[in-house]
Every structure is written in structure tokens, then in C-alpha cells.
Amino acid sequence: MRHIIALALAGTLTSATTGGVSVAELGDQKVPVLGSTTLAQDMESEGVKATVLVNGVRRIDGATIVYYSAGLPKGAPAQSWSAFNAFASDRVSAASGGVGNVRLIDFPHQKIYLPLVKMSQYGTEQAMVSPSAAWPSDESGGTFYTFYAVMPELPDDVGTVDVMVGHGDIVHDVKVDEGVMEPASLQEKPIRMGQVWPLIDQVAAAGSVAPEDSVRPLIGRSTEEGQ
């Protein structure tokens, strides 16, 4: 983990391990890091790489919250997050250009979990994820920013899940904990990692629209014609 963080921010962070959990240290602030992955710009190996740190997977009433942070290498030119988030959002198209393309993979139950949705003020479905404004598309690299995604409620016997953000590699065996992360503030603009956590609308999370539509089978099955 140390070399990943140093690569992303050219030494502005250090890391340590506390109780088996890696911790990113920003001066006197400590942020849990449960795993990491990298995203290639437009899925091209020679493009700019974004580093993603999974900070928490937390159970709340009726939902699960994924907290994660992402940053570009120090000095990298400003980028749109959509360049790192290219796989299709197959429930709410509004999430496809923002920072909401998160998946949880539950191998024991053979399920994939997508972000939940709520009804917007305009009567349309809206993904319960960080707004597009949470990523500073006009700022060069060197800083991590924090995001969230509200996912379906996990079965009681699930203690770990695999996490996928954008088109990055899967972060395996992420521990599931309880409760929202604090202190928290409403996310309407970029939040630098280590400042506060995004505030979660727990009422909306518990009352999401058709949560069953955000749970998909991990393995698709097909039969040959005529069988």
C-alpha cells in the first residue's frame, strides 16, 4: 500500500497498519484503507492512471454504503472522471458519466449489487451516489477526493465482499462494518480525503425505489435452442 499511495501523490501521504487495516496518514489525520486498485484512462495502458482506495463498506438500515477515494498522480493534467468510469450503468444512465459506477460482488450468494436509486424532484430515478461535481475535473493531480455509493442491503451472513469501481480490478475480501462514517458533511463539491465523509441520506437509503432491481445474478445461464 505504501508504494501505491506514494505513486499517486508523490509522497504527500504515508501509510501504516493498525489492527490489520492499512491507514493513510495525512499529517495528523488517519484514513482507513481496506484495499486499492488503479483505473487506466479510457482503458488504455499508456494513459494516465487513477488510484482508488476503498475506505469502508458499512451496513445501515436497508442499505450498504461504500466509501472510497480516488486521485491522479501529482502533476497529472486534469481529467474527466468518465475516462476512468467507462463500463455501462445498466439501471440509471445518469450515473454513467459521474462517479457512481460501483459494484459489490457477493460470491457465496452469487450476486452482484448495483447502486440503489431514489426519485428525483423531477420524478425520475436518480442513482444514490456522489454527484458529478464531487470530482474536480478542472484540477491537476496530487490529491485524493472521497466519494460514496449507496448499495443494496447485504445478507446478514456476509462478512466480506469484493468491490469494483469503474473498470478497475476487483478489490477482494473487503470487510463489512456497521454504521456510517463520521464526521460527515453534505457532498455538493469535491471533498478532500481526510476532511470529512460524505453525508448519507439514511431515510432515502432505507426507502429506495425497487431495491430488488439493483441485485443481479453473478452467473448468467442460457440454454441452447430447442432444449
Side-chain angles (χ1 to χ4, degrees), residues 69-224:
S69 302
L72 301 175
K74 186 175 178 63
Q79 303 288 334
S80 168
W81 185 253
S82 61
F84 304 102
N85 206 32
F87 71 74
S89 175
D90 52 2
R91 184 174 183 194
V92 180
S93 59
S96 61
V99 293
N101 277 339
V102 177
R103 299 290 187 269
L104 294 181
I105 302 171
D106 173 9
F107 278 103
H109 297 92
Q110 296 290 288
K111 300 292 184 183
I112 297 177
Y113 303 93
L114 289 65
L116 295 172
V117 304
K118 63 181 180 180
M119 297 303 296
S120 74
Q121 59 180 324
Y122 305 107
T124 57
E125 290 190 348
Q126 177 182 358
M128 299 177 67
V129 298
S130 290
S132 296
W135 173 256
S137 58
D138 59 348
E139 293 187 17
S140 59
T143 303
F144 275 113
Y145 298 92
T146 298
F147 312 96
Y148 74 92
V150 181
M151 314 298 287
E153 189 172 25
L154 296 172
D156 291 341
D157 61 346
V158 172
T160 62
V161 289
D162 292 349
V163 180
M164 185 174 183
V165 178
H167 51 66
D169 291 334
I170 292 174
V171 181
H172 293 284
D173 299 325
V174 177
K175 184 177 183 293
V176 180
D177 285 315
E178 301 288 333
V180 295
M181 299 180 76
E182 295 181 323
S185 179
L186 182 65
Q187 188 170 46
E188 297 178 319
K189 60 183 181 179
I191 296 176
R192 290 174 180 263
M193 187 177 75
Q195 289 182 325
V196 293
W197 300 103
L199 182 67
I200 307 301
D201 186 341
Q202 297 188 59
V203 173
S208 64
V209 176
E212 65 278 5
D213 290 346
S214 290
V215 182
R216 306 293 172 82
L218 177 60
I219 299 174
R221 292 180 173 81
S222 62
T223 58
E224 294 183 8

